[in-house]
């Protein structure tokens, strides 16, 4: 039997496609926060996975517009009817809401648990868990954005798969001790909600240490209180330690600090390539030059 050149190419293509499919992972991604900036970063991570051939099923409150799905190996579940979203909020309002943890930690933890409750109570999530349990559509890893509660790791425990946390913050945040086993030294590394980038003075180091201690205790107390007052199914299972934590950071933009081996800096992964600047006509260039010269003349005459 002689093989034609076309048959050889088809055989090679089949082998390559099979090898790529064998190395592709089936990923379940969950966005727990209703902020557009949070989803921008998460979608950037998922886009990189999809472009490399992995199959992604994403639960998101910001679904893609109709007809704009990135690829066939990407599926979205619309969570916008269940989750409160925040788009185009004023910076002053955001700072006012998230500026300080004092007196707000209980509400922040409750916000995280409410998001978990809405996601886990969605019919599509129940179907995902059933299909995984029956072996019809098994997932290999869970990607989720955490926020002050271990409820985000519930899916990884139910599916018995590795867990990857994705945070749009430049640091792991207030749950670093629980996620990585590492606790930042308050004498050299500022707390995530501190009002200074680097503690340089004794007063800043002292306040930073007090703030770190308060946040650690407040997170534990708030979670314990809510587990007692509002028990949920995800409270009955042990939390899963993430295998990796993707953070929106880069060593060129952050001060030197120790980083746990499981923390991976992927800052800028959600940014799109810049477009070329539009061409400016000669007439507009001349007018801009004229007004610039005129402005300089007026400024010099007033001196």
């Amino acid at each position: 039997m002689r093989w034609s050149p076309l048959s050889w190419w088809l055989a090679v293509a089949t082998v390559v496609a099979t090898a790529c499919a064998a190395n592709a992972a089936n990923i379940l991604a969950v966005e727990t926060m209703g902020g557009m900036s949070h989803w921008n970063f998460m979608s950037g991570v998922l886009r990189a996975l999809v472009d490399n051939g992995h199959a992604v099923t994403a639960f998101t409150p910001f679904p893609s517009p109709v007809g704009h799905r990135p690829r066939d190996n990407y599926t979205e579940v619309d969570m916008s009817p269940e989750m409160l979203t925040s788009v185009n909020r004023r910076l002053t309002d955001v700072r006012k809401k998230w500026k300080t943890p004092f007196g707000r930690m209980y509400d922040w933890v409750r916000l995280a648990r409410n998001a978990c409750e809405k996601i886990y109570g969605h019919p599509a999530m129940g179907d995902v868990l059933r299909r995984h349990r029956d072996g019809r559509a098994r997932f290999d890893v869970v990607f989720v954005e955490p926020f002050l509660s271990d409820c985000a790791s519930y899916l990884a425990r139910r599916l018995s798969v590795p867990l990857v946390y994705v945070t749009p913050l430049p640091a792991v945040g207030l749950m670093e001790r629980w996620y990585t086993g590492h606790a930042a030294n308050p004498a050299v590394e500022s707390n995530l909600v501190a009002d200074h980038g680097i503690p340089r003075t004794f007063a800043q180091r002292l306040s930073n240490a007090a703030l770190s201690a308060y946040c650690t205790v407040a997170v534990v107390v708030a979670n314990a209180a809510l587990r007692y007052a509002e028990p949920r199914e995800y409270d009955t299972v042990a939390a899963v330690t993430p295998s990796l934590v993707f953070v929106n950071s880069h060593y060129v933009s952050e001060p030197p600090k120790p980083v746990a081996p499981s923390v991976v800096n992927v800052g800028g992964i959600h940014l799109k390539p810049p477009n070329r600047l539009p061409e400016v006509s000669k007439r507009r260039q001349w007018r801009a030059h004229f007004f610039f010269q005129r402005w300089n003349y007026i400024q010099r005459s007033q001196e």
Side-chain angles (χ1 to χ4, degrees):
M1 177 180 177
R2 298 186 60 185
W3 287 69
S4 65
L6 180 60
S7 299
W8 278 108
W9 280 112
L10 288 176
V12 172
T14 302
V15 172
V16 172
T18 303
C20 293
N23 293 327
N26 198 13
I27 300 171
L28 176 62
V30 179
E31 177 55 70
T32 59
M33 298 296 292
M36 189 63 191
S37 59
H38 293 254
W39 175 242
N40 284 339
F41 182 71
M42 172 69 85
S43 62
V45 174
L46 300 182
R47 189 183 308 113
L49 295 170
V50 170
D51 291 342
N52 282 274
H54 301 288
V56 175
T57 300
F59 284 72
T60 171
F62 300 100
S64 302
V66 178
H68 290 77
R69 192 173 65 172
R71 293 178 183 269
D72 293 336
N73 55 332
Y74 178 75
T75 305
E76 285 183 339
V77 178
D78 185 6
M79 294 295 300
S80 57
E82 287 77 16
M83 298 180 65
L84 181 64
T85 58
S86 176
V87 181
N88 296 329
R89 292 285 300 275
R90 297 178 57 184
L91 181 59
T92 53
D93 296 337
V94 175
R95 285 178 55 85
K96 183 178 180 181
K97 182 178 181 180
W98 303 101
K99 182 179 180 180
T100 175
F102 295 104
R104 297 177 180 268
M105 192 64 70
Y106 188 86
D107 295 332
W108 290 357
V109 175
R110 171 175 278 178
L111 177 66
R113 290 170 61 89
N114 287 342
C116 289
E117 186 174 354
K118 292 177 180 178
I119 293 170
Y120 299 150
H122 196 279
M125 182 59 71
D127 184 58
V128 164
L129 295 175
R130 284 192 299 271
R131 288 188 289 115
H132 180 88
R133 183 179 63 249
D134 299 339
R136 289 177 290 162
R138 301 192 65 85
F139 289 96
D140 301 305
V141 63
V142 172
F143 279 63
V144 62
E145 179 182 345
F147 181 66
L148 298 181
S149 176
D150 289 329
C151 68
S153 69
Y154 172 72
L155 277 178
R157 178 66 67 184
R158 283 288 304 272
L159 301 178
S160 299
V161 297
L163 174 66
V164 176
Y165 278 156
V166 181
T167 174
L169 303 176
V172 178
L174 305 180
M175 299 287 287
E176 184 175 14
R177 181 190 296 271
W178 291 270
Y179 296 161
T180 66
H182 167 73
N185 184 354
V188 296
E189 185 177 346
S190 294
N191 189 277
L192 184 65
V193 293
D195 59 355
H196 50 265
I198 301 176
R200 301 183 184 277
T201 65
F202 175 77
Q204 289 179 339
R205 292 170 181 167
L206 182 61
S207 63
N208 191 53
L211 180 61
S212 299
Y214 171 82
C215 290
T216 300
V217 175
V219 168
V220 174
V221 172
N223 275 283
L226 285 168
R227 289 193 189 100
Y228 177 79
E230 303 173 1
R232 297 290 184 267
E233 181 181 353
Y234 47 76
D235 294 327
T236 61
V237 299
V240 177
T241 302
S243 301
L244 293 173
V245 181
F246 291 157
V247 298
N248 186 16
S249 180
H250 196 273
Y251 66 90
V252 300
S253 60
E254 294 295 318
K257 60 182 179 181
V259 179
S262 60
V263 177
V264 182
N265 293 327
V266 293
I269 194 172
H270 60 297
L271 301 179
K272 298 179 180 179
N275 298 324
R276 295 187 59 183
L277 295 175
E279 295 291 339
V280 181
S281 63
K282 294 292 185 180
R283 180 181 179 85
R284 290 189 175 182
Q285 292 181 11
W286 180 84
R287 291 178 61 184
H289 177 74
F290 172 78
F291 284 115
F292 179 73
Q293 294 294 335
R294 181 64 176 173
W295 174 258
N296 285 338
Y297 173 78
I298 295 175
Q299 292 296 319
R300 288 195 300 268
S301 63
Q302 292 178 352
E303 293 179 355

